[in-house]
Amino acid sequence: RAIRSIKEQTYSHVEIIVVNDGGVNLESLLRWLAENAEIVYIDFPTNQGVSAARNAAFKAAQGDIIAYLDDDDVFMPDHIQTVVDTLKQEDVRFVFTRSVYVVETLERGQYKEYARGTANDGMRYDKEHLFICNYIPINTWAHWKSCFDQVGYFDENLDNHEDWEFLLRCAQHFDLVHVPKETVEVHNRRESDNAMRRTRHKFVDTYQTLYARYDDLGSRRVAEGRIQMLRQLAAQGESA
């Protein structure tokens, strides 16, 4: 459904790059999906991690604008047109839109929608809040490819919150422009949420690493928010 949603975009000048990070080979499926679409397929024989997969796609990309879509999520038909139009405005380097969260559950071998709604990514850009926690889903992002020349690629040493670390680097160099429009569906599985709770204890170490790497902007709000966030994460890890 992810690739289908890209092919249904109102903006047609799109290059699709699919990275298979050590999973089942997808070539035959992609040949079937590739009608009237340009798909570049990168196959890692073994799992290299999400950052390495994304970095490989970035380096293969021929276009000037980068957008993101995970394999179980969906672009609404005007997503790419919306972000392209915004990025073409003067001095805009990075944009993000709003998303709809869809919670699914597995029933008789098929995923069915359990709940739907919007989350806090509907907030306007708030740099201080971003330096406390990440509230911007990656599938809502788009930016000029040249941003990599300025901030670098994804950190392949991180195995979680690598997207947030990249955002923090971007926020040091330019504003992240919010487009208050729902253009993406982010699909979460209830079963996956349960698995995430069991690994949440790892998040404390990552947050501490990123807090040490990126200062609190001299803001009391950020400093106090970080203390509260670490306490919250520690409590969630203990209850998982």
Side-chain angles (χ1 to χ4, degrees):
R1 63 187 173 191
I3 292 177
R4 187 179 299 113
S5 77
I6 299 173
K7 293 176 67 176
E8 293 173 352
Q9 291 295 296
T10 58
Y11 185 89
S12 59
H13 188 58
V14 175
E15 175 189 39
I16 303 172
I17 301 177
V18 176
V19 181
N20 182 20
D21 189 18
V24 176
N25 191 284
L26 301 172
E27 283 190 271
S28 59
L29 174 62
L30 293 176
R31 280 197 296 270
W32 177 68
L33 289 170
E35 184 179 357
N36 300 320
E38 180 181 357
I39 298 181
V40 176
Y41 179 55
I42 300 172
D43 185 31
F44 287 172
T46 59
N47 181 270
Q48 302 295 308
V50 64
S51 291
R54 287 178 177 145
N55 288 342
F58 303 148
K59 294 170 185 177
Q62 298 298 306
D64 294 325
I65 292 174
I66 301 293
Y68 300 74
L69 187 62
D70 291 335
D71 60 0
D72 52 358
D73 298 327
V74 172
F75 284 162
M76 296 179 189
D78 61 346
H79 173 72
I80 294 179
Q81 185 70 64
T82 298
V83 298
V84 168
D85 288 346
T86 306
L87 283 166
K88 287 183 177 179
Q89 297 175 16
E90 187 176 2
D91 296 329
V92 176
R93 306 285 296 149
F94 190 113
V95 303
F96 65 100
T97 63
R98 297 185 65 180
S99 66
V100 176
Y101 278 80
V102 179
V103 180
E104 299 172 323
T105 186
L106 185 62
E107 294 182 7
R108 299 178 181 179
Q110 293 186 333
Y111 282 103
K112 295 186 177 180
E113 185 173 318
Y114 177 78
R116 171 183 292 259
T118 56
N120 62 353
D121 60 278
M123 296 170 57
R124 298 175 63 183
Y125 176 53
D126 181 341
K127 185 175 182 178
E128 289 190 347
H129 187 60
L130 182 64
F131 272 65
I132 298 171
C133 64
N134 183 21
Y135 66 99
I136 307 174
I138 191 169
N139 294 328
T140 67
W141 307 359
H143 58 80
W144 291 102
K145 186 180 179 184
S146 59
C147 290
F148 294 128
D149 298 331
Q150 199 166 0
V151 305
Y153 293 103
F154 277 58
D155 185 345
E156 298 183 14
N157 294 314
L158 292 175
D159 63 3
N160 63 80
H161 291 86
E162 69 292 326
D163 52 342
W164 181 31
E165 192 277 336
F166 181 76
L167 279 183
L168 292 172
R169 270 186 279 143
C170 289
Q172 290 181 318
H173 293 274
F174 35 77
D175 285 336
L176 314 183
V177 176
H178 181 221
V179 181
K181 181 178 183 180
E182 295 172 355
T183 65
V184 177
E185 283 188 1
V186 177
H187 290 249
N188 292 317
R189 311 276 165 76
R190 294 182 74 192
E191 296 78 9
S192 299
D193 288 345
N194 292 333
M196 182 177 291
R197 291 190 188 99
R198 293 193 292 271
T199 60
R200 198 178 293 274
H201 65 279
K202 296 181 180 180
F203 293 178
V204 175
D205 290 340
T206 302
Y207 270 69
Q208 289 175 329
T209 296
L210 297 186
Y211 286 166
R213 188 179 299 180
Y214 301 97
D215 65 31
D216 60 13
L217 306 175
S219 164
R220 179 177 177 179
R221 175 192 172 202
V222 174
E224 293 179 350
R226 288 179 168 188
I227 292 171
Q228 182 62 34
M229 179 59 64
L230 289 174
R231 288 174 178 167
Q232 179 180 332
L233 290 170
Q236 290 172 345
E238 291 171 359
S239 63

